[in-house]
Structure formats: structure tokens, C-alpha cells
Amino acid sequence: MIYFIGAGPGDPDLVTVKAQKILQKADAVLYTGSLVPKEVLSWCKEDAIVEDSQGMKYPEIFEFLEKHQDKLVARVHTGDPSIYSTIAKQIEHLKEQNIEYSVIPGITAAFGAAASLGIEYTIPGVSQTVILSRVEGKTPNPEKLENILACKNSSLAFYLSILLLKKLKKTALEMDYSPDTPCWVIEKATWAEEKIYKGTISNIHEQVGHIRGVALILFGDYLHQKETEESHLYVKPLVKEVEAKKEIRKKKKEEANG
């Protein structure tokens, strides 16, 4: 069996118990070295075959998986395997070769960053939709950045885009976003060396121009964390509604008493 494991956003303690148990039993481990903290590999057996997939192309990855298919294999990706992990291509190959596989979810960077910041993505009256995307670079996006930014009442989180921040700024301002719209960057969310930068779309680049590695961009008014509508699940009924209900009960009581 080959297990695709989500190693979480960076903090080794955020790896799921299920993933940890697989790593402890795995005979062969292939991990994304540029993104997966070395601490995650500390659970591996001493005699486990452990290789870094950084720099590998698909044929080399497929070769590793096929070579060890008779063993318990852990294919370790950062965050959650369903987001920017390329597991679709790997699973397609395994299906063609009739090799069994299973996927173990993990915490993606957007949720690790939200925890570090203490924020909510779904703010009543502001945003009830979360969009995880990236700014188009060398790899084309089927969704144009303009279309993504057109969803102004959504909570936006951009992966793999720190080197394209100027493009995000230019496009957002052209689409009449306020220069004061909050834009935050979280470098290595939940890692020991995590750094948080808070600014606006007009000035954030001044703080983060040096970053070349792992970083997430959060953008939108939801970062103000101010509700513009009250959640009816948690707020007390309005005074008028309370008084109206009292009046109804009073009339019913009077009618019952004749």
C-alpha cells in the first residue's frame, strides 16, 4: 500500500495521529524536502528507506513508488494532499499500474495561518466564501486573476505567489480595490521560524520583498474581522421581538381567561 500523507503546514505536532502511525511503520518514505520539516521524519524507522523528492521529475517519482510497491510506502506532501500537491498525476499512474493507495489528509497552510493569526475566514455580512488560489506565473491559470479578484466579498488566500505580489497589487488597484485593503503575508506558517507581516495591498511589498521561500498571502476586508451582520444563531433576540412575543402571550392569556 502506498499512503499519500499530508504533513501539515510546518509544525510537526500538527501531523495527524493516523499519519504519524503510518510513518512509524513505513518501509520506504518519499518526502518533499523543500517543504516538509525534517522533524516529521524523526518518526521513521531506523532501517526505513528515506528519499527526498526535491528535484525529482515524474518518471523518478513513479520509479520509486513502483520499486517499493510491495512495501508500506509513505509519500509525504506538505499541508493537505488535495491542494497543490500533484497527487492527481501520481494516483493516475498508480491506477494504471494497479497499485493500491490511500490518502491521509493534513492541515493546509491557509488553516495553519488562520490559527497563528487568530482569524476567521467566514465573517457574517463580510464573507461566507473562501477562495484558495495562486497568482498566475509560469504555469497558466484557467481562472484569470481578474475573475478571482472580482469576488470582492470572498476571503482570498494565495499560495505560491509571494514573487508575484506586485502583479496582485497592480491588478487589485486596477479593479478599484482600495489601497487600504488589508494584505497580510505569513512566512512559513506554524513553523518555528514563522513570521507575520501585516500591511495593505499598497504597501505590503515593502515588508516582504526579501522573501523567496514558503509564504501565504491573505487579502481582503475580512482581515478586519468586523461583522457587518449579526449571526442569528448566537445573538439575543432584538428588544422589539421580545416585546412583541410578550404582547402575544399577554393577549392569549387574556383570551383564555375570558
Side-chain angles (χ1 to χ4, degrees), residues 162-212:
I162 192 61
L163 299 181
L164 297 165
L165 189 52
K166 287 185 177 180
K167 181 176 181 179
L168 175 61
K169 171 184 175 180
K170 180 177 182 294
T171 307
L173 294 178
E174 287 175 349
M175 296 184 66
D176 295 325
Y177 273 86
S178 167
D180 294 329
T181 304
C183 187
W184 299 354
V185 171
I186 301 85
E187 183 180 16
K188 290 192 171 183
T190 78
W191 292 57
E193 55 267 45
E194 172 190 85
K195 290 184 179 179
I196 295 171
Y197 305 87
K198 295 183 179 182
T200 66
I201 192 60
S202 62
N203 63 28
I204 188 64
H205 190 269
E206 299 169 8
Q207 300 183 54
V208 301
H210 64 283
I211 300 177
R212 293 292 181 271

mmCIF file of all heavy atoms in Angstrom, residues 162-212:
data_model
loop_
_atom_site.group_PDB
_atom_site.id
_atom_site.type_symbol
_atom_site.label_atom_id
_atom_site.label_comp_id
_atom_site.label_asym_id
_atom_site.label_seq_id
_atom_site.Cartn_x
_atom_site.Cartn_y
_atom_site.Cartn_z
ATOM 1 N N ILE A 162 4.277 34.556 -3.657
ATOM 2 C CA ILE A 162 4.989 35.643 -2.998
ATOM 3 C C ILE A 162 5.849 36.441 -3.982
ATOM 4 O O ILE A 162 6.033 37.646 -3.828
ATOM 5 C CB ILE A 162 5.851 35.117 -1.821
ATOM 6 C CG1 ILE A 162 6.348 36.276 -0.963
ATOM 7 C CG2 ILE A 162 6.980 34.235 -2.311
ATOM 8 C CD1 ILE A 162 5.253 37.095 -0.321
ATOM 9 N N LEU A 163 6.352 35.793 -5.028
ATOM 10 C CA LEU A 163 7.174 36.501 -6.008
ATOM 11 C C LEU A 163 6.324 37.235 -7.046
ATOM 12 O O LEU A 163 6.856 37.910 -7.930
ATOM 13 C CB LEU A 163 8.119 35.523 -6.714
ATOM 14 C CG LEU A 163 9.116 34.789 -5.804
ATOM 15 C CD1 LEU A 163 10.006 33.861 -6.627
ATOM 16 C CD2 LEU A 163 9.972 35.777 -5.012
ATOM 17 N N LEU A 164 5.004 37.092 -6.932
ATOM 18 C CA LEU A 164 4.078 37.739 -7.870
ATOM 19 C C LEU A 164 3.187 38.758 -7.161
ATOM 20 O O LEU A 164 2.124 39.123 -7.646
ATOM 21 C CB LEU A 164 3.214 36.674 -8.555
ATOM 22 C CG LEU A 164 3.997 35.669 -9.410
ATOM 23 C CD1 LEU A 164 3.135 34.453 -9.737
ATOM 24 C CD2 LEU A 164 4.497 36.328 -10.681
ATOM 25 N N LEU A 165 3.654 39.216 -6.009
ATOM 26 C CA LEU A 165 2.857 40.142 -5.203
ATOM 27 C C LEU A 165 2.609 41.463 -5.930
ATOM 28 O O LEU A 165 1.530 42.055 -5.819
ATOM 29 C CB LEU A 165 3.555 40.393 -3.873
ATOM 30 C CG LEU A 165 2.786 41.158 -2.793
ATOM 31 C CD1 LEU A 165 1.417 40.535 -2.549
ATOM 32 C CD2 LEU A 165 3.589 41.194 -1.501
ATOM 33 N N LYS A 166 3.585 41.916 -6.715
ATOM 34 C CA LYS A 166 3.398 43.169 -7.459
ATOM 35 C C LYS A 166 2.284 43.038 -8.491
ATOM 36 O O LYS A 166 1.537 43.977 -8.738
ATOM 37 C CB LYS A 166 4.710 43.575 -8.122
ATOM 38 C CG LYS A 166 5.765 44.097 -7.153
ATOM 39 C CD LYS A 166 6.999 44.586 -7.893
ATOM 40 C CE LYS A 166 8.029 45.169 -6.918
ATOM 41 N NZ LYS A 166 9.247 45.640 -7.636
ATOM 42 N N LYS A 167 2.177 41.851 -9.087
ATOM 43 C CA LYS A 167 1.108 41.613 -10.055
ATOM 44 C C LYS A 167 -0.248 41.639 -9.363
ATOM 45 O O LYS A 167 -1.220 42.187 -9.896
ATOM 46 C CB LYS A 167 1.315 40.262 -10.748
ATOM 47 C CG LYS A 167 0.272 39.940 -11.795
ATOM 48 C CD LYS A 167 0.579 38.627 -12.511
ATOM 49 C CE LYS A 167 -0.467 38.327 -13.574
ATOM 50 N NZ LYS A 167 -0.168 37.060 -14.306
ATOM 51 N N LEU A 168 -0.326 41.040 -8.169
ATOM 52 C CA LEU A 168 -1.561 41.068 -7.394
ATOM 53 C C LEU A 168 -1.941 42.504 -7.063
ATOM 54 O O LEU A 168 -3.107 42.905 -7.216
ATOM 55 C CB LEU A 168 -1.393 40.251 -6.116
ATOM 56 C CG LEU A 168 -2.560 40.284 -5.120
ATOM 57 C CD1 LEU A 168 -3.830 39.738 -5.766
ATOM 58 C CD2 LEU A 168 -2.211 39.505 -3.856
ATOM 59 N N LYS A 169 -0.972 43.294 -6.629
ATOM 60 C CA LYS A 169 -1.220 44.695 -6.289
ATOM 61 C C LYS A 169 -1.732 45.469 -7.506
ATOM 62 O O LYS A 169 -2.749 46.173 -7.432
ATOM 63 C CB LYS A 169 0.069 45.334 -5.757
ATOM 64 C CG LYS A 169 -0.017 46.840 -5.566
ATOM 65 C CD LYS A 169 1.330 47.408 -5.138
ATOM 66 C CE LYS A 169 1.280 48.920 -5.059
ATOM 67 N NZ LYS A 169 2.601 49.497 -4.634
ATOM 68 N N LYS A 170 -1.044 45.346 -8.609
ATOM 69 C CA LYS A 170 -1.401 46.088 -9.824
ATOM 70 C C LYS A 170 -2.823 45.751 -10.274
ATOM 71 O O LYS A 170 -3.624 46.643 -10.559
ATOM 72 C CB LYS A 170 -0.403 45.770 -10.937
ATOM 73 C CG LYS A 170 -0.666 46.473 -12.268
ATOM 74 C CD LYS A 170 0.431 46.149 -13.272
ATOM 75 C CE LYS A 170 0.212 46.881 -14.603
ATOM 76 N NZ LYS A 170 -1.004 46.422 -15.300
ATOM 77 N N THR A 171 -3.128 44.448 -10.292
ATOM 78 C CA THR A 171 -4.452 44.019 -10.750
ATOM 79 C C THR A 171 -5.541 44.469 -9.790
ATOM 80 O O THR A 171 -6.606 44.927 -10.205
ATOM 81 C CB THR A 171 -4.493 42.485 -10.913
ATOM 82 O OG1 THR A 171 -3.415 42.074 -11.746
ATOM 83 C CG2 THR A 171 -5.807 42.041 -11.537
ATOM 84 N N ALA A 172 -5.288 44.344 -8.489
ATOM 85 C CA ALA A 172 -6.284 44.739 -7.491
ATOM 86 C C ALA A 172 -6.596 46.235 -7.580
ATOM 87 O O ALA A 172 -7.766 46.639 -7.533
ATOM 88 C CB ALA A 172 -5.791 44.376 -6.095
ATOM 89 N N LEU A 173 -5.574 47.060 -7.710
ATOM 90 C CA LEU A 173 -5.799 48.511 -7.795
ATOM 91 C C LEU A 173 -6.511 48.885 -9.093
ATOM 92 O O LEU A 173 -7.332 49.803 -9.118
ATOM 93 C CB LEU A 173 -4.468 49.257 -7.673
ATOM 94 C CG LEU A 173 -3.762 49.131 -6.312
ATOM 95 C CD1 LEU A 173 -2.438 49.875 -6.317
ATOM 96 C CD2 LEU A 173 -4.655 49.622 -5.173
ATOM 97 N N GLU A 174 -6.198 48.171 -10.171
ATOM 98 C CA GLU A 174 -6.896 48.415 -11.447
ATOM 99 C C GLU A 174 -8.373 48.058 -11.346
ATOM 100 O O GLU A 174 -9.202 48.606 -12.076
ATOM 101 C CB GLU A 174 -6.245 47.601 -12.565
ATOM 102 C CG GLU A 174 -4.883 48.135 -13.003
ATOM 103 C CD GLU A 174 -4.212 47.231 -14.018
ATOM 104 O OE1 GLU A 174 -4.711 46.090 -14.231
ATOM 105 O OE2 GLU A 174 -3.189 47.646 -14.592
ATOM 106 N N MET A 175 -8.696 47.137 -10.419
ATOM 107 C CA MET A 175 -10.086 46.711 -10.246
ATOM 108 C C MET A 175 -10.782 47.499 -9.132
ATOM 109 O O MET A 175 -11.782 47.051 -8.575
ATOM 110 C CB MET A 175 -10.135 45.210 -9.976
ATOM 111 C CG MET A 175 -9.630 44.376 -11.147
ATOM 112 S SD MET A 175 -9.811 42.609 -10.862
ATOM 113 C CE MET A 175 -11.609 42.455 -10.823
ATOM 114 N N ASP A 176 -10.211 48.628 -8.793
ATOM 115 C CA ASP A 176 -10.818 49.569 -7.837
ATOM 116 C C ASP A 176 -10.851 49.062 -6.405
ATOM 117 O O ASP A 176 -11.686 49.506 -5.603
ATOM 118 C CB ASP A 176 -12.233 49.956 -8.290
ATOM 119 C CG ASP A 176 -12.218 50.725 -9.605
ATOM 120 O OD1 ASP A 176 -11.264 51.498 -9.821
ATOM 121 O OD2 ASP A 176 -13.149 50.537 -10.407
ATOM 122 N N TYR A 177 -9.961 48.167 -6.061
ATOM 123 C CA TYR A 177 -9.794 47.857 -4.647
ATOM 124 C C TYR A 177 -9.180 49.077 -3.975
ATOM 125 O O TYR A 177 -8.324 49.763 -4.562
ATOM 126 C CB TYR A 177 -8.860 46.660 -4.453
ATOM 127 C CG TYR A 177 -9.543 45.311 -4.504
ATOM 128 C CD1 TYR A 177 -9.751 44.666 -5.719
ATOM 129 C CD2 TYR A 177 -9.953 44.679 -3.334
ATOM 130 C CE1 TYR A 177 -10.366 43.428 -5.772
ATOM 131 C CE2 TYR A 177 -10.559 43.433 -3.382
ATOM 132 C CZ TYR A 177 -10.769 42.812 -4.592
ATOM 133 O OH TYR A 177 -11.375 41.592 -4.628
ATOM 134 N N SER A 178 -9.585 49.333 -2.752
ATOM 135 C CA SER A 178 -8.989 50.438 -2.017
ATOM 136 C C SER A 178 -7.515 50.129 -1.727
ATOM 137 O O SER A 178 -7.175 48.994 -1.394
ATOM 138 C CB SER A 178 -9.723 50.652 -0.693
ATOM 139 O OG SER A 178 -8.980 51.502 0.159
ATOM 140 N N PRO A 179 -6.628 51.130 -1.847
ATOM 141 C CA PRO A 179 -5.215 50.908 -1.496
ATOM 142 C C PRO A 179 -5.053 50.468 -0.048
ATOM 143 O O PRO A 179 -4.016 49.896 0.314
ATOM 144 C CB PRO A 179 -4.580 52.283 -1.732
ATOM 145 C CG PRO A 179 -5.485 52.958 -2.694
ATOM 146 C CD PRO A 179 -6.870 52.491 -2.355
ATOM 147 N N ASP A 180 -6.068 50.724 0.774
ATOM 148 C CA ASP A 180 -6.000 50.366 2.195
ATOM 149 C C ASP A 180 -6.549 48.969 2.480
ATOM 150 O O ASP A 180 -6.643 48.574 3.649
ATOM 151 C CB ASP A 180 -6.779 51.385 3.029
ATOM 152 C CG ASP A 180 -6.142 52.761 2.991
ATOM 153 O OD1 ASP A 180 -4.903 52.836 2.869
ATOM 154 O OD2 ASP A 180 -6.882 53.759 3.066
ATOM 155 N N THR A 181 -6.916 48.218 1.446
ATOM 156 C CA THR A 181 -7.415 46.860 1.662
ATOM 157 C C THR A 181 -6.337 46.024 2.346
ATOM 158 O O THR A 181 -5.197 45.980 1.883
ATOM 159 C CB THR A 181 -7.796 46.187 0.328
ATOM 160 O OG1 THR A 181 -8.758 47.004 -0.349
ATOM 161 C CG2 THR A 181 -8.377 44.806 0.574
ATOM 162 N N PRO A 182 -6.659 45.366 3.466
ATOM 163 C CA PRO A 182 -5.645 44.595 4.187
ATOM 164 C C PRO A 182 -5.012 43.504 3.330
ATOM 165 O O PRO A 182 -5.700 42.819 2.569
ATOM 166 C CB PRO A 182 -6.433 43.978 5.348
ATOM 167 C CG PRO A 182 -7.618 44.862 5.519
ATOM 168 C CD PRO A 182 -7.967 45.337 4.141
ATOM 169 N N CYS A 183 -3.706 43.375 3.441
ATOM 170 C CA CYS A 183 -2.961 42.309 2.767
ATOM 171 C C CYS A 183 -1.870 41.851 3.723
ATOM 172 O O CYS A 183 -0.987 42.631 4.086
ATOM 173 C CB CYS A 183 -2.365 42.813 1.458
ATOM 174 S SG CYS A 183 -1.608 41.515 0.453
ATOM 175 N N TRP A 184 -1.955 40.604 4.143
ATOM 176 C CA TRP A 184 -1.011 40.057 5.109
ATOM 177 C C TRP A 184 -0.233 38.909 4.490
ATOM 178 O O TRP A 184 -0.764 38.162 3.658
ATOM 179 C CB TRP A 184 -1.743 39.543 6.355
ATOM 180 C CG TRP A 184 -2.519 40.589 7.106
ATOM 181 C CD1 TRP A 184 -2.543 41.936 6.862
ATOM 182 C CD2 TRP A 184 -3.387 40.376 8.223
ATOM 183 N NE1 TRP A 184 -3.369 42.571 7.759
ATOM 184 C CE2 TRP A 184 -3.904 41.637 8.614
ATOM 185 C CE3 TRP A 184 -3.781 39.246 8.934
ATOM 186 C CZ2 TRP A 184 -4.790 41.789 9.677
ATOM 187 C CZ3 TRP A 184 -4.663 39.385 9.991
ATOM 188 C CH2 TRP A 184 -5.164 40.647 10.366
ATOM 189 N N VAL A 185 0.998 38.757 4.905
ATOM 190 C CA VAL A 185 1.842 37.649 4.438
ATOM 191 C C VAL A 185 2.324 36.858 5.638
ATOM 192 O O VAL A 185 2.811 37.430 6.613
ATOM 193 C CB VAL A 185 3.050 38.175 3.627
ATOM 194 C CG1 VAL A 185 4.033 37.037 3.339
ATOM 195 C CG2 VAL A 185 2.578 38.801 2.320
ATOM 196 N N ILE A 186 2.148 35.543 5.565
ATOM 197 C CA ILE A 186 2.616 34.653 6.628
ATOM 198 C C ILE A 186 3.704 33.774 6.041
ATOM 199 O O ILE A 186 3.453 32.945 5.168
ATOM 200 C CB ILE A 186 1.477 33.776 7.201
ATOM 201 C CG1 ILE A 186 0.374 34.671 7.755
ATOM 202 C CG2 ILE A 186 2.002 32.872 8.301
ATOM 203 C CD1 ILE A 186 -0.625 35.130 6.724
ATOM 204 N N GLU A 187 4.908 33.987 6.493
ATOM 205 C CA GLU A 187 6.044 33.195 6.015
ATOM 206 C C GLU A 187 6.202 31.963 6.906
ATOM 207 O O GLU A 187 6.291 32.055 8.115
ATOM 208 C CB GLU A 187 7.321 34.037 6.058
ATOM 209 C CG GLU A 187 8.553 33.326 5.522
ATOM 210 C CD GLU A 187 9.801 34.198 5.579
ATOM 211 O OE1 GLU A 187 9.781 35.223 6.295
ATOM 212 O OE2 GLU A 187 10.794 33.849 4.912
ATOM 213 N N LYS A 188 6.199 30.794 6.276
ATOM 214 C CA LYS A 188 6.344 29.516 6.989
ATOM 215 C C LYS A 188 5.341 29.409 8.147
ATOM 216 O O LYS A 188 5.716 29.272 9.314
ATOM 217 C CB LYS A 188 7.772 29.330 7.488
ATOM 218 C CG LYS A 188 8.771 29.088 6.364
ATOM 219 C CD LYS A 188 10.114 28.608 6.888
ATOM 220 C CE LYS A 188 11.003 28.156 5.742
ATOM 221 N NZ LYS A 188 12.294 27.625 6.210
ATOM 222 N N ALA A 189 4.078 29.456 7.823
ATOM 223 C CA ALA A 189 3.024 29.373 8.838
ATOM 224 C C ALA A 189 3.187 28.136 9.714
ATOM 225 O O ALA A 189 3.348 27.025 9.212
ATOM 226 C CB ALA A 189 1.658 29.348 8.162
ATOM 227 N N THR A 190 3.147 28.325 11.000
ATOM 228 C CA THR A 190 3.250 27.326 12.085
ATOM 229 C C THR A 190 4.647 26.738 12.258
ATOM 230 O O THR A 190 4.872 25.968 13.191
ATOM 231 C CB THR A 190 2.246 26.153 11.924
ATOM 232 O OG1 THR A 190 2.709 25.225 10.931
ATOM 233 C CG2 THR A 190 0.846 26.642 11.592
ATOM 234 N N TRP A 191 5.604 27.082 11.417
ATOM 235 C CA TRP A 191 6.983 26.627 11.623
ATOM 236 C C TRP A 191 7.556 27.379 12.835
ATOM 237 O O TRP A 191 7.051 28.423 13.238
ATOM 238 C CB TRP A 191 7.862 26.936 10.416
ATOM 239 C CG TRP A 191 7.557 26.163 9.172
ATOM 240 C CD1 TRP A 191 6.359 26.100 8.511
ATOM 241 C CD2 TRP A 191 8.465 25.359 8.416
ATOM 242 N NE1 TRP A 191 6.468 25.315 7.396
ATOM 243 C CE2 TRP A 191 7.748 24.845 7.301
ATOM 244 C CE3 TRP A 191 9.813 25.034 8.548
ATOM 245 C CZ2 TRP A 191 8.339 24.019 6.349
ATOM 246 C CZ3 TRP A 191 10.400 24.215 7.600
ATOM 247 C CH2 TRP A 191 9.672 23.710 6.518
ATOM 248 N N ALA A 192 8.648 26.882 13.386
ATOM 249 C CA ALA A 192 9.298 27.563 14.496
ATOM 250 C C ALA A 192 9.769 28.955 14.065
ATOM 251 O O ALA A 192 9.777 29.898 14.849
ATOM 252 C CB ALA A 192 10.476 26.738 15.001
ATOM 253 N N GLU A 193 10.158 29.082 12.783
ATOM 254 C CA GLU A 193 10.655 30.363 12.269
ATOM 255 C C GLU A 193 9.569 31.180 11.574
ATOM 256 O O GLU A 193 9.867 32.072 10.760
ATOM 257 C CB GLU A 193 11.836 30.142 11.324
ATOM 258 C CG GLU A 193 11.578 29.204 10.179
ATOM 259 C CD GLU A 193 11.976 27.766 10.487
ATOM 260 O OE1 GLU A 193 11.655 27.277 11.582
ATOM 261 O OE2 GLU A 193 12.604 27.129 9.622
ATOM 262 N N GLU A 194 8.314 30.913 11.884
ATOM 263 C CA GLU A 194 7.194 31.648 11.295
ATOM 264 C C GLU A 194 7.342 33.160 11.505
ATOM 265 O O GLU A 194 7.737 33.618 12.573
ATOM 266 C CB GLU A 194 5.880 31.189 11.931
ATOM 267 C CG GLU A 194 4.669 32.020 11.541
ATOM 268 C CD GLU A 194 3.447 31.672 12.374
ATOM 269 O OE1 GLU A 194 3.317 32.231 13.490
ATOM 270 O OE2 GLU A 194 2.656 30.842 11.932
ATOM 271 N N LYS A 195 7.007 33.927 10.449
ATOM 272 C CA LYS A 195 6.999 35.383 10.555
ATOM 273 C C LYS A 195 5.720 35.919 9.923
ATOM 274 O O LYS A 195 5.274 35.415 8.893
ATOM 275 C CB LYS A 195 8.216 35.986 9.864
ATOM 276 C CG LYS A 195 9.525 35.697 10.592
ATOM 277 C CD LYS A 195 10.701 36.403 9.934
ATOM 278 C CE LYS A 195 11.997 36.108 10.690
ATOM 279 N NZ LYS A 195 13.163 36.769 10.044
ATOM 280 N N ILE A 196 5.149 36.931 10.541
ATOM 281 C CA ILE A 196 3.888 37.510 10.086
ATOM 282 C C ILE A 196 4.105 38.973 9.722
ATOM 283 O O ILE A 196 4.719 39.729 10.489
ATOM 284 C CB ILE A 196 2.806 37.389 11.178
ATOM 285 C CG1 ILE A 196 2.478 35.906 11.427
ATOM 286 C CG2 ILE A 196 1.553 38.157 10.797
ATOM 287 C CD1 ILE A 196 1.595 35.665 12.629
ATOM 288 N N TYR A 197 3.608 39.347 8.554
ATOM 289 C CA TYR A 197 3.733 40.728 8.082
ATOM 290 C C TYR A 197 2.340 41.249 7.764
ATOM 291 O O TYR A 197 1.620 40.650 6.969
ATOM 292 C CB TYR A 197 4.608 40.800 6.832
ATOM 293 C CG TYR A 197 5.979 40.182 6.988
ATOM 294 C CD1 TYR A 197 6.169 38.814 6.753
ATOM 295 C CD2 TYR A 197 7.081 40.943 7.364
ATOM 296 C CE1 TYR A 197 7.418 38.231 6.889
ATOM 297 C CE2 TYR A 197 8.339 40.369 7.506
ATOM 298 C CZ TYR A 197 8.500 39.010 7.271
ATOM 299 O OH TYR A 197 9.739 38.438 7.403
ATOM 300 N N LYS A 198 1.971 42.374 8.374
ATOM 301 C CA LYS A 198 0.652 42.947 8.156
ATOM 302 C C LYS A 198 0.781 44.317 7.487
ATOM 303 O O LYS A 198 1.542 45.169 7.941
ATOM 304 C CB LYS A 198 -0.108 43.083 9.481
ATOM 305 C CG LYS A 198 -0.427 41.754 10.149
ATOM 306 C CD LYS A 198 -1.241 41.974 11.414
ATOM 307 C CE LYS A 198 -1.602 40.648 12.078
ATOM 308 N NZ LYS A 198 -2.430 40.853 13.300
ATOM 309 N N GLY A 199 0.021 44.487 6.422
ATOM 310 C CA GLY A 199 0.024 45.769 5.729
ATOM 311 C C GLY A 199 -1.217 45.904 4.883
ATOM 312 O O GLY A 199 -2.250 45.278 5.151
ATOM 313 N N THR A 200 -1.119 46.680 3.839
ATOM 314 C CA THR A 200 -2.202 46.854 2.877
ATOM 315 C C THR A 200 -1.686 46.462 1.499
ATOM 316 O O THR A 200 -0.480 46.277 1.305
ATOM 317 C CB THR A 200 -2.694 48.302 2.847
ATOM 318 O OG1 THR A 200 -1.640 49.128 2.331
ATOM 319 C CG2 THR A 200 -3.085 48.778 4.242
ATOM 320 N N ILE A 201 -2.606 46.356 0.548
ATOM 321 C CA ILE A 201 -2.191 45.968 -0.797
ATOM 322 C C ILE A 201 -1.229 46.996 -1.394
ATOM 323 O O ILE A 201 -0.433 46.676 -2.281
ATOM 324 C CB ILE A 201 -3.418 45.767 -1.718
ATOM 325 C CG1 ILE A 201 -3.006 45.085 -3.031
ATOM 326 C CG2 ILE A 201 -4.117 47.084 -1.964
ATOM 327 C CD1 ILE A 201 -2.374 43.734 -2.878
ATOM 328 N N SER A 202 -1.265 48.228 -0.907
ATOM 329 C CA SER A 202 -0.396 49.271 -1.461
ATOM 330 C C SER A 202 1.006 49.275 -0.865
ATOM 331 O O SER A 202 1.944 49.782 -1.489
ATOM 332 C CB SER A 202 -1.037 50.650 -1.272
ATOM 333 O OG SER A 202 -1.201 50.935 0.103
ATOM 334 N N ASN A 203 1.175 48.697 0.356
ATOM 335 C CA ASN A 203 2.496 48.817 0.985
ATOM 336 C C ASN A 203 3.114 47.504 1.471
ATOM 337 O O ASN A 203 4.242 47.505 1.955
ATOM 338 C CB ASN A 203 2.440 49.806 2.152
ATOM 339 C CG ASN A 203 1.519 49.357 3.276
ATOM 340 O OD1 ASN A 203 1.291 48.170 3.496
ATOM 341 N ND2 ASN A 203 0.961 50.323 4.006
ATOM 342 N N ILE A 204 2.400 46.384 1.348
ATOM 343 C CA ILE A 204 2.916 45.145 1.927
ATOM 344 C C ILE A 204 4.227 44.706 1.280
ATOM 345 O O ILE A 204 5.094 44.115 1.935
ATOM 346 C CB ILE A 204 1.854 44.007 1.830
ATOM 347 C CG1 ILE A 204 2.315 42.771 2.610
ATOM 348 C CG2 ILE A 204 1.571 43.653 0.385
ATOM 349 C CD1 ILE A 204 2.464 42.969 4.094
ATOM 350 N N HIS A 205 4.400 45.003 0.003
ATOM 351 C CA HIS A 205 5.617 44.553 -0.683
ATOM 352 C C HIS A 205 6.873 45.137 -0.049
ATOM 353 O O HIS A 205 7.949 44.521 -0.088
ATOM 354 C CB HIS A 205 5.551 44.904 -2.171
ATOM 355 C CG HIS A 205 6.651 44.262 -2.968
ATOM 356 N ND1 HIS A 205 7.864 44.861 -3.195
ATOM 357 C CD2 HIS A 205 6.716 43.034 -3.566
ATOM 358 C CE1 HIS A 205 8.638 44.055 -3.903
ATOM 359 N NE2 HIS A 205 7.966 42.948 -4.138
ATOM 360 N N GLU A 206 6.756 46.303 0.549
ATOM 361 C CA GLU A 206 7.908 46.933 1.197
ATOM 362 C C GLU A 206 8.420 46.078 2.358
ATOM 363 O O GLU A 206 9.610 46.113 2.677
ATOM 364 C CB GLU A 206 7.522 48.322 1.705
ATOM 365 C CG GLU A 206 7.066 49.272 0.605
ATOM 366 C CD GLU A 206 6.430 50.534 1.163
ATOM 367 O OE1 GLU A 206 6.490 50.733 2.406
ATOM 368 O OE2 GLU A 206 5.864 51.318 0.377
ATOM 369 N N GLN A 207 7.518 45.299 2.970
ATOM 370 C CA GLN A 207 7.905 44.483 4.115
ATOM 371 C C GLN A 207 8.413 43.094 3.724
ATOM 372 O O GLN A 207 9.205 42.498 4.439
ATOM 373 C CB GLN A 207 6.712 44.293 5.055
ATOM 374 C CG GLN A 207 6.124 45.545 5.641
ATOM 375 C CD GLN A 207 4.996 45.218 6.604
ATOM 376 O OE1 GLN A 207 5.159 44.433 7.540
ATOM 377 N NE2 GLN A 207 3.833 45.806 6.367
ATOM 378 N N VAL A 208 7.938 42.594 2.573
ATOM 379 C CA VAL A 208 8.181 41.174 2.256
ATOM 380 C C VAL A 208 8.970 40.951 0.978
ATOM 381 O O VAL A 208 9.072 39.821 0.498
ATOM 382 C CB VAL A 208 6.842 40.412 2.175
ATOM 383 C CG1 VAL A 208 6.083 40.522 3.487
ATOM 384 C CG2 VAL A 208 5.982 40.931 1.016
ATOM 385 N N GLY A 209 9.562 42.001 0.426
ATOM 386 C CA GLY A 209 10.296 41.865 -0.823
ATOM 387 C C GLY A 209 11.470 40.908 -0.742
ATOM 388 O O GLY A 209 11.943 40.406 -1.769
ATOM 389 N N HIS A 210 11.933 40.617 0.477
ATOM 390 C CA HIS A 210 13.087 39.733 0.656
ATOM 391 C C HIS A 210 12.722 38.252 0.643
ATOM 392 O O HIS A 210 13.598 37.394 0.513
ATOM 393 C CB HIS A 210 13.753 40.038 1.995
ATOM 394 C CG HIS A 210 12.863 39.751 3.178
ATOM 395 N ND1 HIS A 210 11.835 40.595 3.547
ATOM 396 C CD2 HIS A 210 12.833 38.707 4.060
ATOM 397 C CE1 HIS A 210 11.220 40.103 4.606
ATOM 398 N NE2 HIS A 210 11.801 38.955 4.929
ATOM 399 N N ILE A 211 11.431 37.928 0.776
ATOM 400 C CA ILE A 211 11.019 36.527 0.911
ATOM 401 C C ILE A 211 11.111 35.813 -0.434
ATOM 402 O O ILE A 211 10.592 36.291 -1.440
ATOM 403 C CB ILE A 211 9.580 36.420 1.465
ATOM 404 C CG1 ILE A 211 9.479 37.080 2.845
ATOM 405 C CG2 ILE A 211 9.152 34.955 1.548
ATOM 406 C CD1 ILE A 211 8.074 37.089 3.419
ATOM 407 N N ARG A 212 11.732 34.653 -0.437
ATOM 408 C CA ARG A 212 11.859 33.844 -1.645
ATOM 409 C C ARG A 212 11.343 32.424 -1.434
ATOM 410 O O ARG A 212 11.295 31.629 -2.366
ATOM 411 C CB ARG A 212 13.332 33.777 -2.091
ATOM 412 C CG ARG A 212 13.889 35.118 -2.566
ATOM 413 C CD ARG A 212 13.232 35.537 -3.863
ATOM 414 N NE ARG A 212 13.734 36.805 -4.373
ATOM 415 C CZ ARG A 212 13.231 37.992 -4.061
ATOM 416 N NH1 ARG A 212 12.206 38.073 -3.215
ATOM 417 N NH2 ARG A 212 13.719 39.096 -4.569
#
